Amino acid sequence: MSANFKSDGEKRIFEFLKKRMIRFTYEKPILIKDSLDNKMQIWHPDFYLDDFNIVIEYFGMADKNEYTRAMKRKQAIYHKERVDFISVYPDMIKDKDFEKILWDKIRNILIAKLKRLKSHRDVYFRSQEMKQRKTLNEERKPA
């Protein structure tokens, strides 16, 4: 993949994803509801992890006031719309354990997704079991 990254931070994230063989799309267009002004918009997050449905955003200028406001707004909308996302900042990129930190964030999101799926599965099977019991009880009743 040869992309023109907008920053060294994005390039570092790219190298991490490539090294881990994680499939992604750079600046993939996604449709998002901007719940703050109730409009649908197309956003282009820095990285979209194709197999995991996770967005990674690199906020390289988090020290600038106007940028910080836009960043917080974006994070609030992702959160409200239940988009699994990871925010990466320059300090994180510079950390000697950057790759471990980013991998842990991805892993934690995947673990949470699995727990949600297990919970939904358990609820489904309990409801099916209750339906079966009800059907059996109705069949046993004398006519």
Side-chain angles (χ1 to χ4, degrees), residues 87-121:
S87 297
V88 177
Y89 305 96
D91 290 347
M92 187 176 158
I93 291 283
K94 293 174 190 169
D95 194 298
K96 66 179 176 57
D97 294 324
F98 163 70
E99 291 189 5
K100 181 188 180 320
I101 294 166
L102 185 53
W103 179 245
D104 286 347
K105 288 179 179 290
I106 293 169
R107 190 175 54 89
N108 289 340
I109 289 173
L110 294 175
I111 289 168
K113 284 178 183 251
L114 287 172
K115 286 180 181 177
R116 285 193 305 265
L117 285 172
K118 184 183 181 307
S119 173
H120 290 302
R121 184 200 66 190

Side-chain angles (χ1 to χ4, degrees), residues 26-140:
Y26 182 67
E27 295 189 337
K28 177 181 181 167
I30 62 170
L31 187 64
I32 193 114
K33 181 180 179 188
D34 184 338
S35 48
L36 300 176
D37 64 9
N38 209 26
K39 292 181 183 175
M40 297 301 289
Q41 297 180 0
I42 296 176
W43 285 6
H44 298 84
D46 297 327
F47 298 91
Y48 177 83
L49 307 188
D50 300 315
D51 295 328
F52 305 137
N53 194 27
I54 297 173
V55 165
I56 298 177
E57 290 279 11
Y58 177 62
F59 296 111
M61 296 186 291
D63 58 339
K64 308 228 184 307
N65 284 339
E66 191 62 35
Y67 185 87
T68 300
R69 270 194 293 281
M71 174 189 77
K72 288 182 179 181
R73 177 183 170 87
K74 183 180 273 191
Q75 290 169 327
I77 292 168
Y78 278 150
H79 183 72
K80 185 161 179 19
E81 296 304 314
R82 297 185 177 188
V83 173
D84 289 316
F85 73 98
I86 297 169
S87 297
V88 177
Y89 305 96
D91 290 347
M92 187 176 158
I93 291 283
K94 293 174 190 169
D95 194 298
K96 66 179 176 57
D97 294 324
F98 163 70
E99 291 189 5
K100 181 188 180 320
I101 294 166
L102 185 53
W103 179 245
D104 286 347
K105 288 179 179 290
I106 293 169
R107 190 175 54 89
N108 289 340
I109 289 173
L110 294 175
I111 289 168
K113 284 178 183 251
L114 287 172
K115 286 180 181 177
R116 285 193 305 265
L117 285 172
K118 184 183 181 307
S119 173
H120 290 302
R121 184 200 66 190
D122 292 347
V123 168
Y124 171 77
F125 284 121
R126 275 196 300 269
S127 70
Q128 293 303 307
E129 204 173 276
M130 289 172 64
K131 284 180 186 176
Q132 283 180 331
R133 284 186 196 151
K134 185 178 177 184
T135 303
L136 286 173
N137 287 338
E138 287 174 359
E139 290 173 356
R140 291 181 184 158

